[in-house]
Amino acid sequence: MVEIDDIDHRVLELLREDGRRTFSEMAERVGLSVAAVKRRVDRLRELGVITGFTARIDYAKLGWGIEAFTELRYAGSTPVSEIVRTATGAPEVQAVFTIAGDPDALIHIRVRDLDHLQQVIDGLRRTGNVTGTKTLLVMGSWTREAGVALRGRSAEARGRTRR
Amino acid sequence: MVEIDDIDHRVLELLREDGRRTFSEMAERVGLSVAAVKRRVDRLRELGVITGFTARIDYAKLGWGIEAFTELRYAGSTPVSEIVRTATGAPEVQAVFTIAGDPDALIHIRVRDLDHLQQVIDGLRRTGNVTGTKTLLVMGSWTREAGVALRGRSAEARGRTRR
DNA sequence: ACTGAAATTTCTTTCAC
DNA sequence: GTGAAAGAAATTTCAGT
């Protein structure tokens, strides 16, 4: 585990909120010079704490309005690698979480409509050793946008609800 | 739903992969001028397709090594707003998905260790009208990093497994 | 709509202290 | 850690295609 001080945490929080913040803006907010903030960000990347930057995209605006989680159960003999391989195969699958216990995996799916969802699930059921599925259809979602409670204390939670 | 052409999709994919790509780099990759790419990114932001930029952080490196999903069941009379309000209260809760059917919500939790997880779940059970929980402990995860299958065709899936 | 280019401003990077 | 200087990139604008 990596050693991180309070200022690093604030920098991470700022970059969580807006990954394109400039060094000068962050410098002002955390009370350090631009060079010092850059050095910290560089270090956080070298340490692997910051693994990259990405754009937040509203997929519903692009017509991918349906979101679901599907629990997958596999035949007892199925190795985890096989579970991940089959589940990641469908392009609609956004994330795969392998689970201790029952179910064996939870996958996050994004699709255009319910018909499309049906097709994706049917595809999964036909794949590999899937013995059962249970799908949770997402009605609304909220995501913590500011950095997690990085220090175990309540960081400000700014988020939004959709739909 | 928003009108988006192939080049816009490629720009989105590039920004999904790396939210700090420069206009000149993207211009080269999609075969347009810098000015044209900037105009497209500006438009995608105005349309609300790109909602922002954020840093990817490896929370395990910060000591938040345990991830779980918890299904929540609430008393029948509980309004959705109340579900979201109580579930988002704990700083360890990263995301809340309200669900059509049973369970009523699925929440994504990140904690330091199993003791901590126990505390968070106990807290939720004591809150509001929670009538039951089921927790799925995450052993490993894979996330699609490139932009989704934005056109319904299989976009290249570059991801990674953890743990 | 996009190109190419110029002018301006801002951000990044580096280095001496 | 700071401050300053140099280099790179972003932004803005515009005539031309």
Side-chain angles (χ1 to χ4, degrees), chain A residues 11-153:
Chain A
V11 167
L12 286 177
E13 204 168 319
L14 290 169
L15 286 176
R16 270 297 274 188
E17 279 176 18
D18 180 358
R20 281 195 158 180
R21 278 217 162 78
T22 63
F23 293 123
S24 59
E25 189 193 335
M26 292 189 283
E28 200 177 329
R29 297 210 187 204
V30 304
L32 289 183
S33 66
V34 169
V37 172
K38 172 169 167 33
R39 213 174 306 125
R40 282 166 182 268
V41 172
D42 287 347
R43 176 168 166 269
L44 289 168
R45 299 191 73 161
E46 276 159 28
L47 290 170
V49 173
I50 297 173
T51 61
F53 295 90
T54 187
R56 290 200 198 96
I57 293 176
D58 183 344
Y59 293 101
K61 283 247 167 68
L62 296 176
W64 293 70
I66 304 286
E67 211 175 335
F69 285 88
T70 297
E71 302 176 357
L72 297 174
R73 284 170 190 77
Y74 286 80
S77 56
T78 315
V80 172
S81 59
E82 180 67 10
I83 293 177
V84 173
R85 199 184 61 72
T86 59
T88 58
E92 294 86 355
V93 172
Q94 302 305 305
V96 176
F97 304 92
T98 54
I99 301 294
D102 176 50
D104 299 298
L106 181 69
I107 65 179
H108 184 205
I109 299 177
R110 223 184 270 278
V111 287
R112 297 193 163 279
D113 50 44
L114 292 178
D115 254 26
H116 187 184
L117 178 60
Q118 187 70 64
Q119 287 166 30
V120 173
I121 295 167
D122 282 352
L124 289 165
R125 294 178 70 95
R126 268 186 264 105
T127 321
N129 314 345
V130 174
T131 58
T133 67
K134 176 182 176 180
T135 295
L136 311 182
L137 190 60
V138 173
M139 301 287 287
S141 65
W142 172 95
T143 305
R144 190 175 300 278
E145 303 235 322
V148 184
L150 285 162
R151 282 148 299 188
R153 304 195 278 105

Side-chain angles (χ1 to χ4, degrees), chain A residues 1-2 4 9 12-13 15-23 26 41 44-45 47-64 67 69 71 73 84 87-100 102-103 106 108 110 112 116 134-155 157 160-161, chain B residues 1-2 4 9 12-13 15-23 26 41 44-45 47-64 67 69 71 73 84 87-100 102-103 106 108 110 112 116 134-155 157 160-161:
Chain A
M1 183 183 150
V2 151
I4 290 298
H9 280 114
L12 286 177
E13 204 168 319
L15 286 176
R16 270 297 274 188
E17 279 176 18
D18 180 358
R20 281 195 158 180
R21 278 217 162 78
T22 63
F23 293 123
M26 292 189 283
V41 172
L44 289 168
R45 299 191 73 161
L47 290 170
V49 173
I50 297 173
T51 61
F53 295 90
T54 187
R56 290 200 198 96
I57 293 176
D58 183 344
Y59 293 101
K61 283 247 167 68
L62 296 176
W64 293 70
E67 211 175 335
F69 285 88
E71 302 176 357
R73 284 170 190 77
V84 173
T88 58
E92 294 86 355
V93 172
Q94 302 305 305
V96 176
F97 304 92
T98 54
I99 301 294
D102 176 50
L106 181 69
H108 184 205
R110 223 184 270 278
R112 297 193 163 279
H116 187 184
K134 176 182 176 180
T135 295
L136 311 182
L137 190 60
V138 173
M139 301 287 287
S141 65
W142 172 95
T143 305
R144 190 175 300 278
E145 303 235 322
V148 184
L150 285 162
R151 282 148 299 188
R153 304 195 278 105
S154 164
R160 65 209 158 87
T161 334
Chain B
M1 182 183 150
V2 151
I4 290 298
H9 280 114
L12 287 176
E13 204 169 317
L15 286 176
R16 270 298 274 189
E17 278 177 19
D18 181 357
R20 281 196 159 181
R21 278 217 161 79
T22 62
F23 292 121
M26 292 189 283
V41 172
L44 289 168
R45 299 192 73 161
L47 291 170
V49 173
I50 296 173
T51 61
F53 295 89
T54 187
R56 290 200 199 98
I57 293 176
D58 183 345
Y59 293 102
K61 284 248 167 67
L62 297 175
W64 293 71
E67 213 175 334
F69 284 89
E71 301 175 359
R73 285 171 187 75
V84 174
T88 58
E92 293 86 354
V93 173
Q94 302 304 305
V96 176
F97 303 92
T98 54
I99 301 294
D102 176 49
L106 180 70
H108 183 206
R110 223 184 269 279
R112 298 194 160 278
H116 188 182
K134 175 183 176 180
T135 295
L136 311 182
L137 189 59
V138 173
M139 301 286 287
S141 65
W142 172 94
T143 304
R144 191 176 298 279
E145 303 236 322
V148 186
L150 285 163
R151 283 148 298 187
R153 304 194 278 106
S154 165
R160 64 208 158 86
T161 335

Side-chain angles (χ1 to χ4, degrees), chain A residues 138-144 157-163, chain B residues 70 72-75 77-100 103-109 124 127-130:
Chain A
V138 173
M139 301 287 287
S141 65
W142 172 95
T143 305
R144 190 175 300 278
R158 284 182 280 276
R160 65 209 158 87
T161 334
R162 281 193 291 140
R163 258 174 243 106
Chain B
T70 297
L72 298 174
R73 285 171 187 75
Y74 286 81
S77 56
T78 315
V80 172
S81 59
E82 180 67 9
I83 293 177
V84 174
R85 200 184 60 72
T86 60
T88 58
E92 293 86 354
V93 173
Q94 302 304 305
V96 176
F97 303 92
T98 54
I99 301 294
D104 298 299
L106 180 70
I107 65 179
H108 183 206
I109 298 177
L124 288 164
T127 322
N129 313 347
V130 174

